[in-house]
Amino acid sequence: MSAHFSTTNPIAPVSPVILPPVSKKTANPDRQQPPALPPLDRCDVWEVPFDRVTMSEAIDRIEQLVERAEPSYVITANLNYVMLHHGQADIPQITAAADLILADGQPIVWRSQLGSESLPERVAGSEMIHQLACRAGQKRWGIYFLGGAPGVAETCAKRLARDYPGMRIAGIESPPFRALSADEQAEQDQRIRDSGAQILLVAFGQPKGERWIHEHYKRLGVPVSIQLGASFDFIAGTAKRAPRIWQKLGAEWTYRMLSDPKRLVPRYGKNALFLLRALVEDWKQTVKRWGMSLDD
């Protein structure tokens, strides 16, 4: 199966990137299991665990995971993910197996501040991808870009490589929007393993991306895999991120919904209903802690 790229996208051209050859490491049968990383402080928000880290601390943790060189994955959880965590039976086990769980939603951060251990800030995937590329440039890491519409991953990868010298493009692939056959999946697995990537960025949408990573990450052997949603589109220019003021107000979802109402209104409508119900339940629990009856 070959990757698909668009040649008609009206995006400004990007500088070409020459990919250096990947040196394959010789397997060491005597290699010992690396020691576990020290645990991070966590807090629960709406029954979902989140690591209490800033953006810079998240990037440092990802570097530790890369250096550990054992397959792992990171979840950037927004309000939609929290809703899916409650409504989809398999999502909690996907969350539990993640090595890093980041709060990619301002309502999550605000809700955490009502507890004794709050989250320090929102860690948005659309900003983290730039920080990862910067660190990859410093460390000479390879990043494999998987997913997105034809041409989007390619433009995203080349723009990041242009902006962050030293970052290696380990691979670019926009697979078809369907389940791969067994042979196609085996070929894709081999391409990713042979790439020598330190980071695998997946843009399959939520929760398809998280499910795909959870199913495949161990056999792919990439140290860190992350589902990053619309980040490829933001960098490629095929989607526009909300202005900063909308982000600070926690209304980035409103901006995105208005930009693509046919596709996003149903999704964000469900998110808003979930948020309303969660806040009502929070109020009920607060009233009970006060020793009051809801029937009073």
Side-chain angles (χ1 to χ4, degrees):
M1 183 191 69
S2 60
H4 304 288
F5 304 119
S6 170
T7 57
T8 60
N9 199 322
I11 299 172
V14 296
S15 301
V17 177
I18 299 183
L19 310 182
V22 179
S23 59
K24 296 184 179 180
K25 297 180 180 179
T26 303
N28 180 5
D30 298 325
R31 183 175 180 266
Q32 296 182 347
Q33 185 75 11
L37 297 177
L40 298 170
D41 290 336
R42 281 191 170 179
C43 67
D44 286 355
V45 180
W46 292 312
E47 301 178 20
V48 178
F50 288 93
D51 289 300
R52 300 176 62 234
V53 293
T54 63
M55 176 68 78
S56 62
E57 290 168 342
I59 299 300
D60 288 343
R61 186 66 166 193
I62 290 172
E63 180 176 339
Q64 291 176 340
L65 292 171
V66 169
E67 291 176 347
R68 189 181 66 169
E70 292 294 316
S72 66
Y73 63 90
V74 177
I75 289 177
T76 57
N78 55 16
L79 186 61
N80 186 64
Y81 187 88
V82 174
M83 181 187 71
L84 294 170
H85 187 96
H86 284 264
Q88 303 287 332
D90 63 321
I91 299 299
Q93 64 180 346
I94 294 174
T95 306
D99 286 80
L100 185 62
I101 307 169
L102 305 173
D104 187 358
Q106 196 59 46
I108 298 170
V109 176
W110 286 337
R111 174 58 184 83
S112 76
Q113 294 169 350
L114 299 178
S116 58
E117 295 183 331
S118 62
L119 295 165
E121 64 182 18
R122 178 190 178 194
V123 182
S126 51
E127 296 173 7
M128 186 172 69
I129 190 172
H130 290 278
Q131 299 296 323
L132 282 174
C134 181
R135 187 64 59 90
Q138 296 167 356
K139 298 293 182 177
R140 308 292 294 184
W141 293 341
I143 300 180
Y144 200 106
F145 297 81
L146 178 67
V152 172
E154 180 183 22
T155 302
C156 172
K158 289 185 175 181
R159 286 189 170 175
L160 288 175
R162 176 196 63 192
D163 294 341
Y164 304 101
M167 187 204 88
R168 181 174 66 84
I169 299 176
I172 302 170
E173 189 170 342
S174 296
F177 295 105
R178 60 169 173 79
L180 302 183
S181 68
D183 287 343
E184 288 173 332
Q185 187 62 65
E187 291 170 2
Q188 183 184 80
D189 291 354
Q190 194 63 48
R191 285 193 295 273
I192 295 173
R193 282 194 295 265
D194 290 346
S195 72
Q198 282 73 40
I199 295 177
L200 171 63
L201 298 183
V202 178
F204 285 169
Q206 194 178 74
K208 180 181 177 181
E210 287 85 358
R211 284 180 170 137
W212 188 93
I213 289 172
H214 183 255
E215 179 183 355
H216 298 278
Y217 80 105
K218 286 186 177 179
R219 74 167 184 267
L220 293 176
V222 179
V224 178
S225 298
I226 314 174
Q227 151 70 22
L228 282 181
S231 298
F232 286 13
D233 290 286
F234 290 148
I235 293 173
T238 52
K240 186 177 180 182
R241 197 177 175 201
R244 183 67 62 177
I245 184 62
W246 289 69
Q247 298 174 37
K248 290 183 177 180
L249 293 173
E252 188 169 6
W253 64 272
T254 307
Y255 183 91
R256 289 197 63 202
M257 180 178 67
L258 295 175
S259 68
D260 190 358
K262 184 176 180 181
R263 183 174 68 90
L264 295 179
V265 163
R267 168 182 161 175
Y268 286 123
K270 293 178 182 178
N271 292 169
L273 182 59
F274 170 81
L275 178 60
L276 177 61
R277 289 173 175 169
L279 293 174
V280 169
E281 184 60 30
D282 287 342
W283 175 76
K284 289 180 179 179
Q285 295 303 318
T286 300
V287 170
K288 289 181 180 179
R289 285 196 297 272
W290 289 343
M292 299 172 60
S293 171
L294 294 173
D295 297 328
D296 293 343

